[in-house]
Amino acid sequence: MANVSHQRGDLSSHPDAPEMRARYERVLGSRDVAFVDGPVFLLGLYCAVSPWILHYTTSQPALVTHNLIVGIAIGLLALGFTAAPSRMYGLSGAMCALGIWMIISPWVVGTNPDAGVIWNNVVIGALTVILGTACAATAARAASRSS
């Protein structure tokens, strides 16, 4: 008969335990998942839905599409930072570029934007640049640890 007791065994004797510990240390120890990736994703989500939150869908239709696409791009970068950090943190410079673009986009993409639209995009852009810089610093720190 099989042993179906509900006692949990000690995993420290498992042959893969040291490798799993080293992997978790490498993945989680080299970056702050909750402090960088989460806010980047939330910022992308807010950027994508901000035209509907601030009600400028009729006055600035070009910025509606623009913010939706850029917000989705920022959100996908955040998901990439979480799923494959060693590969994706090289794109933190692209996130900084998206932030700078968000700051100037009301005047380039929009037509006579009002103060609310301008402030919305400037704040989103500034936060994107700050979080992109934090991602770049995290990537540089992780690269220096691994070499």
Side-chain angles (χ1 to χ4, degrees):
M1 249 196 170
N3 183 5
V4 290
S5 66
H6 295 287
Q7 295 176 353
R8 293 185 178 183
D10 185 18
L11 289 179
S12 62
S13 63
H14 192 278
D16 293 334
E19 180 184 339
M20 288 188 300
R21 268 192 223 103
R23 183 176 183 191
Y24 285 134
E25 236 352 271
R26 188 174 62 247
V27 170
L28 296 177
S30 65
R31 62 193 188 96
D32 293 328
V33 174
F35 293 120
V36 179
D37 300 347
V40 170
F41 181 75
L42 291 175
L43 183 66
L45 182 66
Y46 174 74
C47 180
V49 299
S50 64
W52 291 274
I53 292 173
L54 298 178
H55 304 291
Y56 61 87
T57 55
T58 56
S59 65
Q60 298 290 331
L63 275 174
V64 171
T65 306
H66 170 269
N67 280 18
L68 179 65
I69 291 170
V70 172
I72 290 171
I74 292 170
L76 288 175
L77 281 173
L79 291 175
F81 293 157
T82 302
S86 59
R87 295 179 186 172
M88 292 295 293
Y89 270 108
L91 290 175
S92 54
M95 198 164 102
C96 292
L98 279 174
I100 292 168
W101 172 248
M102 281 299 293
I103 292 171
I104 63 171
S105 66
W107 296 281
V108 176
V109 178
T111 53
N112 296 325
D114 63 354
V117 172
I118 293 171
W119 276 108
N120 179 59
N121 279 24
V122 167
V123 168
I124 290 171
L127 288 173
T128 304
V129 169
I130 290 168
L131 290 172
T133 305
C135 289
T138 304
R141 198 172 342 129
S144 68
R145 284 183 188 166
S146 65
S147 59

